[in-house]
Amino acid sequence: DMRAAIRKEPENVNHYMKLANFLRTDRQLPQAVEQLDKALELSKSDTSILEEKEDVELEIMRERSGEAAERARKNPDKERLKEKSDGLKKELMTREVEVLASRIDRHPNDMKMRFELADRYRKIKQFPKAIPLFQQASADTRLKEDSLVMLGECFVRAGKADLGRRQFIKALETLNAKDKPDFFKQAHYWLGRLYEKAGKNEEAENHDTEILSVDYDFRDVLKRLEEIQG
């Protein structure tokens, strides 16, 4: 029916969009991109269509990366598969950064988008680029604690431990283990390591205990706490 509508009205952008959405839902992603290309051409490069096309292309890259990672996991002795998996992950991350960086110019008030871009920079260890984006995202109450914890990590990894410590402390003013357990544990973990490194074992022990009270198997916390107490 959709293809018939396109034959009847080949200049109607909505027909191509409807077909693209159907194909995307049916996981026929390359075919969806073809329809979005036609819609993009007819619309004179409508940015909303461009962004939808980028989203579908990223889905394709994620599927390929996931499949490659699974093959590498099932064949740990085949170095070639691991190299291919790592290469696809890197390509995906690079493309995600390109897409998000272009979008924040068009959507300057979207703090979630800034947070996502900052997180990509964090993962590829470009901390100076991630830091200001996390700072901006922390102004959004929905993203405040998440942004502060990630910001603290970036400061620490960039060699600014004291600035990092302040972010973790600030995040824990409102963080709790029930609502955001992962960020709660991360903040306490980083503070525990920072205090341990500074020789402040009592403070480190307090933060390790907070983690063990909600997750006894979290990372190497139990081992570190036993060493401190010993």
Side-chain angles (χ1 to χ4, degrees):
D1 289 343
M2 294 175 188
R3 293 188 187 281
I6 288 174
R7 287 194 295 271
K8 187 176 180 180
E9 296 181 287
E11 302 302 314
N12 191 324
V13 175
N14 290 329
H15 294 329
Y16 296 96
M17 295 299 296
K18 288 179 181 178
L19 180 55
N21 288 332
F22 175 83
L23 292 168
R24 184 179 182 182
T25 302
D26 201 42
R27 307 310 296 166
Q28 299 184 52
L29 300 180
Q31 293 87 337
V33 171
E34 290 177 9
Q35 300 305 317
L36 289 168
D37 271 330
K38 292 174 183 176
L40 197 59
E41 183 180 349
L42 288 170
S43 69
K44 304 284 192 280
S45 302
D46 184 297
T47 54
S48 64
I49 299 175
L50 172 63
E51 290 184 5
E52 186 163 342
K53 178 191 171 187
E54 290 172 341
D55 288 340
V56 178
E57 289 173 335
L58 287 172
E59 284 185 46
I60 294 172
M61 294 181 73
R62 291 188 189 106
E63 280 193 356
R64 290 174 179 168
S65 179
E67 290 167 358
E70 183 63 15
R71 285 193 296 270
R73 185 187 68 80
K74 290 181 177 178
N75 300 275
D77 56 324
K78 294 185 178 180
E79 187 64 28
R80 179 180 59 82
L81 293 179
K82 184 180 183 304
E83 290 176 358
K84 183 176 181 179
S85 175
D86 291 343
L88 288 173
K89 284 180 185 176
K90 186 176 180 181
E91 287 178 18
L92 172 59
M93 189 69 69
T94 300
R95 182 57 182 152
E96 285 180 333
V97 167
E98 290 173 351
V99 168
L100 288 167
S102 68
R103 288 188 186 182
I104 63 171
D105 291 333
R106 296 194 293 269
H107 308 280
N109 297 322
D110 191 327
M111 293 299 108
K112 178 64 174 175
M113 202 173 287
R114 290 179 183 274
F115 178 88
E116 292 295 336
L117 178 56
D119 196 40
R120 300 307 190 281
Y121 281 135
R122 179 186 68 87
K123 289 176 179 176
I124 59 177
K125 298 179 171 56
Q126 293 191 23
F127 304 118
K129 290 184 178 180
I131 286 170
L133 290 167
F134 277 131
Q135 288 174 325
Q136 293 157 14
S138 69
D140 188 324
T141 54
R142 297 166 297 177
L143 301 167
K144 181 180 177 181
E145 294 95 345
D146 309 25
S147 299
L148 288 172
V149 174
M150 295 292 95
L151 178 59
E153 178 186 338
C154 289
F155 273 132
V156 173
R157 293 190 183 280
K160 297 174 174 60
D162 190 55
L163 283 173
R165 180 179 58 81
R166 294 182 186 184
Q167 311 313 311
F168 299 129
I169 292 172
K170 189 175 181 181
L172 286 170
E173 291 175 1
T174 51
L175 262 179
N176 65 73
K178 181 181 178 182
D179 294 334
K180 295 185 176 180
D182 291 337
F183 286 106
F184 177 84
K185 289 181 286 188
Q186 284 185 52
H188 279 296
Y189 185 83
W190 278 104
L191 284 170
R193 302 293 68 76
L194 290 172
Y195 284 125
E196 183 182 349
K197 187 176 181 180
K200 298 180 178 181
N201 288 346
E202 184 177 350
E203 287 91 336
E205 184 176 345
N206 289 338
H207 289 290
D208 288 345
T209 302
E210 286 286 344
I211 296 171
L212 295 177
S213 67
V214 296
D215 188 346
Y216 199 68
D217 295 320
F218 188 74
R219 294 193 182 181
D220 58 346
V221 176
L222 180 60
K223 180 175 179 290
R224 286 181 174 276
L225 180 61
E226 289 173 345
E227 289 174 352
I228 290 171
Q229 292 173 334

